Amino acid sequence: MGKVTFVSYEPEAEENSTADARFELKDGDRTVAVLDGIYKDNNREKERFQKVEAVSFPDYNSDGFNDIIIICSYLPMSGTEAGRSEVRIYSGSKDRKQ
């Protein structure tokens, strides 16, 4: 795979939505990879997506391939609990599998 673009999509703005952000790698207009979500159907159970805090593309595991590290923040759907951040690590490889 040559140069690709990392694209993040925030969920549709619905007040009680538990949909999570979606991440893709694109080559021009063509989607070459959709990064797996954390939960089934890319929906969270008791929290909602707030924002992408950071994205980085290091070779985290020193295997010669760039990896993707994403930090997202989430707010609880109810209660007085504080929000939290979550780190996701996607390992790159020769055949583009994450």
Side-chain angles (χ1 to χ4, degrees), residues 6-63:
F6 173 84
V7 181
S8 62
Y9 299 95
E10 65 180 20
E12 295 293 324
E14 296 177 29
E15 190 166 321
N16 291 319
S17 175
T18 58
D20 204 352
R22 193 176 80 243
F23 304 100
E24 296 181 359
L25 299 178
K26 292 195 165 275
D27 182 0
D29 289 337
R30 186 174 67 95
T31 299
V32 294
V34 176
L35 303 183
D36 291 335
I38 301 298
Y39 295 98
K40 183 179 178 183
D41 298 326
N42 208 34
N43 278 301
R44 308 192 76 86
E45 287 187 22
K46 298 179 183 177
E47 57 191 1
R48 62 183 164 85
F49 173 79
Q50 182 178 22
K51 65 182 174 179
V52 175
E53 299 279 344
V55 179
S56 180
F57 305 94
D59 181 5
Y60 179 75
N61 55 5
S62 301
D63 65 356

Side-chain angles (χ1 to χ4, degrees), residues 71-97:
I71 302 173
C72 293
S73 59
Y74 298 90
L75 296 172
M77 292 299 285
S78 62
T80 59
E81 298 174 27
R84 69 178 193 89
S85 294
E86 175 180 275
V87 176
R88 303 178 189 192
I89 300 175
Y90 297 92
S91 297
S93 67
K94 185 171 119 179
D95 59 357
R96 299 188 316 239
K97 291 184 180 174

